[in-house]
Amino acid sequence: MLGALAARHDWGDSLPKVPLVLARACAVTADGQVNLDAHQMANAATIAAVGIRQKMPEYAVVVALATAFQESKLENLTGGDRDSVGLFQQRPSQGWGTPEEILDPRYASAKFYGALKKVRGWEDMRVTDAAQRVQRSAFPEAYEKWAEESEVLTKALLGKATGAVSCTISGEPEVRGAAAASGLADGMNADWGTLRSATAEPDGLTVDVSDDRDGWRYAHWLVSHATDHGVERVLFGGLEWEAEDGDWSPIAGVPAAGTGQVVAKVFN
């Protein structure tokens, strides 16, 4: 029974509806705007990537993001109500895994999607009802208030919007050079599964793509994870994102479509 897998961390109505915008800030614009800090953005991108890798429909990503918004504010929490931990505040004592496993955002996301798939008719439920069938929260209506934000994030992270994730990163990068490039390749493969089309390079990586949707999925993921992987620039679709500026801008002499490659460069 799904009830045996109940995750718990009830923020109730005390959780602010708009996440805090911190120094290293990200704006997601896709038929609406959501502002997140760098860690929230990276976690959102991982949740979306795992959903795509598991071949879950778009609506599942919306439900997952709304759940993580409510349970943890998209932060990978080391504690919570009773033994709850992680993005979805899943409980080891309720069969979700060990604390170490649950604190891996990829593992936690995969477990959430696995539980959601077992809910009969979840595709036709409201966001809050689908989430509640997995989480068993004392505040069953709380997830719904995150539906709009989650739809904006999902549209961007699933590649249905162009240049929709913009993050400004100032100060010294956390990692540089070959270590950054290696970590970036490892992180991307961990989220998406091993990408045969991805080529690791000493100063970053290149991903071959067949269409703009896949291109923007990867480009937005790279920007979302720029802080933790030392990404300085991302190029795709005739546009370039730079960490210090934070915005996407046209690349002179490059067509707006049909480039066929997403390119990421790390700080040297």
Side-chain angles (χ1 to χ4, degrees), residues 85-152:
V85 295
L87 290 170
F88 299 94
Q89 288 293 279
Q90 295 155 332
R91 296 181 61 195
S93 64
Q94 298 299 312
W96 287 94
T98 66
E100 294 76 16
E101 287 174 329
I102 298 170
L103 283 169
D104 178 351
R106 301 168 185 103
Y107 175 93
S109 299
K111 293 292 284 188
F112 179 85
Y113 288 120
L116 182 63
K117 283 195 289 188
K118 296 177 182 178
V119 177
R120 182 175 299 178
W122 68 268
E123 302 93 333
D124 299 318
M125 296 179 182
R126 292 186 305 154
V127 166
T128 201
D129 295 331
Q132 171 66 1
R133 289 290 297 275
V134 176
Q135 300 296 105
R136 304 297 187 184
S137 170
F139 300 90
E141 292 294 319
Y143 305 103
E144 193 67 25
K145 66 174 173 282
W146 302 106
E148 291 184 7
E149 286 89 342
S150 299
E151 288 168 0
V152 171

Side-chain angles (χ1 to χ4, degrees), residues 133-177:
R133 289 290 297 275
V134 176
Q135 300 296 105
R136 304 297 187 184
S137 170
F139 300 90
E141 292 294 319
Y143 305 103
E144 193 67 25
K145 66 174 173 282
W146 302 106
E148 291 184 7
E149 286 89 342
S150 299
E151 288 168 0
V152 171
L153 284 174
T154 298
K155 184 173 182 178
L157 293 171
L158 267 62
K160 299 179 72 175
T162 297
V165 177
S166 299
C167 298
T168 302
I169 301 171
S170 58
E172 184 69 17
E174 296 180 8
V175 63
R176 288 177 175 270

